[in-house]
């Protein structure tokens, strides 16, 4: 079911943390830098568009990127990809990055934008990415998750939602203005097709974003009876053919987003949620409230979802019928956890080739 995707990343990391010694995060800090192999260099094919620098004098609309020594990111014809980055999920992120590069015909035209928590060690994360991908064009940005935490109602926060999940609502602020379109990707997925095709998903006359839509999912369940029984709130979706959509794979027109100030619209729903409980789960429902029924559809082959299944019941999922361009381990289980535990699901074998973690016996001793 698509709704299993909700907050699954954070639920999972909470479990990891809660079973670890108090020194866990220190250990991660010390060890992740040299844990990963170097990926090969990937080259553009002959017919890739050349990328030209856009004049960038006024392009940084905030100064939180801490990127003094990093390359300019304002190139025309580049494909921009945004992901969140934290020490807990970096193994998944690395596999996702490798899969994007490996299946791209113009890998040198891709720029990655990594958003980290303000409390994360960004220089460590940056060094870890740079060690494995010395040729990658990327930037690391701080996301002030303390600011968003104030907007998240406590009931939801104790339900293990993670402020970094909300970073996707702030990409228009976080990224430089010269980035006008972004492909947002979760960390628990791999692409097996050219990201250029995903990036070219038509947004039509006025859609702000494209995402895989699931109109079979029972939309009612994402909101509380309080919401549906309120005469004005329940009209939110009137005249919209609102369907659930997955926010883990999105193509966002950042110019349209900025123009419509959609970050504020999302925040307004979060403010309301703090005053009266209108939905159960974290970062997804505000997206649905603002966009459902008005998005462009991403072909479902770009979200073969639910492969995480359920770790507790040991349930493995199969692919959905149809083509496969992206495998998404949404759900509670993650392939690297099952592989490490020697209890992989059959499809986890498709994730394994992208794992850059060095084999256990080659850890720095
Ligand atoms: C951040 O990571 C760097 C290694 O890149 C390390 O030298 C530094 O001590 C770390 N800072 C903190 C606050 O943990
Ligand atoms: C959708 O969910 C609501 C509330 O859980 C339920 O009352 C309704 O019958 C469901 N609709 C369908 C078509 O399953």
């Amino acid at each position: 079911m698509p709704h299993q995707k909700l907050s699954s990343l954070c639920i999972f990391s909470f479990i990891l943390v809660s079973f670890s010694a108090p020194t866990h995060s220190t250990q991660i800090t010390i060890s992740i830098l040299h844990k990963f192999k170097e990926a090969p260099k990937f080259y553009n094919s002959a017919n890739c568009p050349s990328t030209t620098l856009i004049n960038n004098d006024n392009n940084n609309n905030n100064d939180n990127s801490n990127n003094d020594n990093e390359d300019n990111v304002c190139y025309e014809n580049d494909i921009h990809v945004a992901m969140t980055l934290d020490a807990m999920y970096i193994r998944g992120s690395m596999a996702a990055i490798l899969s994007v590069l490996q299946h791209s015909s113009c890998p040198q035209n891709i720029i990655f934008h990594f958003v980290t928590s303000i409390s994360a060690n960004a220089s460590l994360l940056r060094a870890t990415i740079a060690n494995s991908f010395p040729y990658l064009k990327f930037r690391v940005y701080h996301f002030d998750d303390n600011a968003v935490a104030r907007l998240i109602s406590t009931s939801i926060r104790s339900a293990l939602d993670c402020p970094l999940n909300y970073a996707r609502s702030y990409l228009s602020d976080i990224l430089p203005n010269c980035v006008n379109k972004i492909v947002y990707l979760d960390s628990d997925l791999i692409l097996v097709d050219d990201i250029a095709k995903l990036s070219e998903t038509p947004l039509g006359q006025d859609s702000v974003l494209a995402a895989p839509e699931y109109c079979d999912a029972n939309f009612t369940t994402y909101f509380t009876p309080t919401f549906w029984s309120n005469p004005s709130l329940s009209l939110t979706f009137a005249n919209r053919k609102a369907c659930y959509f997955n926010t883990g794979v999105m193509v966002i027109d950042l110019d349209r987003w900025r123009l419509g100030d959609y970050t504020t619209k999302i925040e307004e729903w979060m403010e309301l949620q703090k005053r009266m409980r209108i939905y159960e789960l974290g970062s997804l429902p505000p997206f649905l409230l603002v966009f459902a029924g008005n998005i462009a559809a991403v072909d479902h082959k770009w979200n073969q979802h639910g492969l995480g299944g359920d770790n507790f019941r040991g349930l493995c999922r199969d692919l959905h019928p149809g083509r496969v361009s992206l495998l998404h381990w949404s759900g509670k289980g993650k392939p690297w956890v099952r592989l490490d535990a020697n209890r992989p699901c059959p499809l986890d074998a498709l994730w394994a080739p992208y794992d850059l973690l060095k084999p256990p016996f080659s850890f720095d001793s």
Side-chain angles (χ1 to χ4, degrees), residues 108-119:
Q108 292 171 302
N109 292 7
I110 301 175
I111 300 186
F112 282 84
H113 302 266
F114 298 114
V115 183
T116 70
S117 160
I118 200 128
S119 55

Side-chain angles (χ1 to χ4, degrees), residues 107-138:
Q108 292 171 302
N109 292 7
I110 301 175
I111 300 186
F112 282 84
H113 302 266
F114 298 114
V115 183
T116 70
S117 160
I118 200 128
S119 55
N121 187 337
S123 64
L124 173 66
L125 292 169
R126 185 183 293 118
T128 307
I129 295 287
N131 277 353
S132 285
F133 299 99
Y135 312 101
L136 194 70
K137 292 192 278 189
F138 73 96

Side-chain angles (χ1 to χ4, degrees), residues 216-223 228:
D216 295 345
N218 187 344
F219 197 74
T220 314
T221 59
Y222 295 100
F223 303 94
W228 293 115

Side-chain angles (χ1 to χ4, degrees), residues 295-313:
I295 69 167
V298 163
D299 191 308
H300 285 186
K301 70 180 179 176
W302 291 105
N303 189 39
Q304 283 277 354
H305 59 92
L307 305 183
D310 183 334
N311 236 9
F312 302 103
R313 288 183 291 154

Side-chain angles (χ1 to χ4, degrees), residues 307-308 329 333-345 348:
L307 305 183
W329 276 264
K334 298 300 160 202
W336 53 92
V337 176
R338 291 193 293 241
L339 287 160
D340 284 356
N342 260 321
R343 285 197 316 250
C345 285
D348 295 346

Side-chain angles (χ1 to χ4, degrees), residues 308-323:
D310 183 334
N311 236 9
F312 302 103
R313 288 183 291 154
L315 198 64
C316 292
R317 297 294 174 94
D318 208 347
L319 291 174
H320 304 266
R323 291 169 301 166

Side-chain angles (χ1 to χ4, degrees), residues 176-353:
N177 281 333
C178 65
V179 180
N180 44 38
K181 183 161 75 167
I182 194 89
V183 178
Y184 176 84
L185 298 174
D186 273 349
S187 303
D188 54 354
L189 52 76
I190 57 165
L191 276 75
V192 293
D193 197 353
D194 194 335
I195 194 165
K197 298 185 216 160
L198 173 60
S199 173
E200 283 157 14
T201 303
L203 289 172
Q205 286 296 303
D206 47 19
S207 286
V208 176
L209 64 89
E213 274 192 295
Y214 299 92
C215 292
D216 295 345
N218 187 344
F219 197 74
T220 314
T221 59
Y222 295 100
F223 303 94
T224 58
T226 309
F227 176 83
W228 293 115
S229 60
N230 180 300
S232 60
L233 291 179
S234 61
L235 287 177
T236 307
F237 297 109
N239 310 318
R240 283 156 72 175
K241 193 185 176 310
C243 296
Y244 165 88
F245 61 90
N246 190 294
T247 55
V249 178
M250 291 190 287
V251 181
I252 305 176
D253 183 323
L254 289 175
D255 286 340
R256 287 181 183 176
W257 184 295
R258 292 181 185 112
L259 210 59
D261 195 8
Y262 288 98
T263 300
T264 301
K265 295 187 166 104
I266 286 174
E267 285 186 336
E268 283 166 1
W269 283 111
M270 292 169 72
E271 302 268 10
L272 182 64
Q273 165 75 356
K274 274 196 85 168
R275 285 185 276 128
M276 57 192 284
R277 192 156 175 175
I278 55 173
Y279 50 80
E280 303 292 351
L281 287 150
S283 62
L284 172 70
F287 257 88
L288 296 181
L289 286 160
V290 174
F291 294 112
N294 294 327
I295 69 167
V298 163
D299 191 308
H300 285 186
K301 70 180 179 176
W302 291 105
N303 189 39
Q304 283 277 354
H305 59 92
L307 305 183
D310 183 334
N311 236 9
F312 302 103
R313 288 183 291 154
L315 198 64
C316 292
R317 297 294 174 94
D318 208 347
L319 291 174
H320 304 266
R323 291 169 301 166
V324 183
S325 292
L326 183 152
L327 297 148
H328 192 173
W329 276 264
S330 53
K332 293 203 173 70
K334 298 300 160 202
W336 53 92
V337 176
R338 291 193 293 241
L339 287 160
D340 284 356
N342 260 321
R343 285 197 316 250
C345 285
L347 290 173
D348 295 346
L350 299 176
W351 183 88

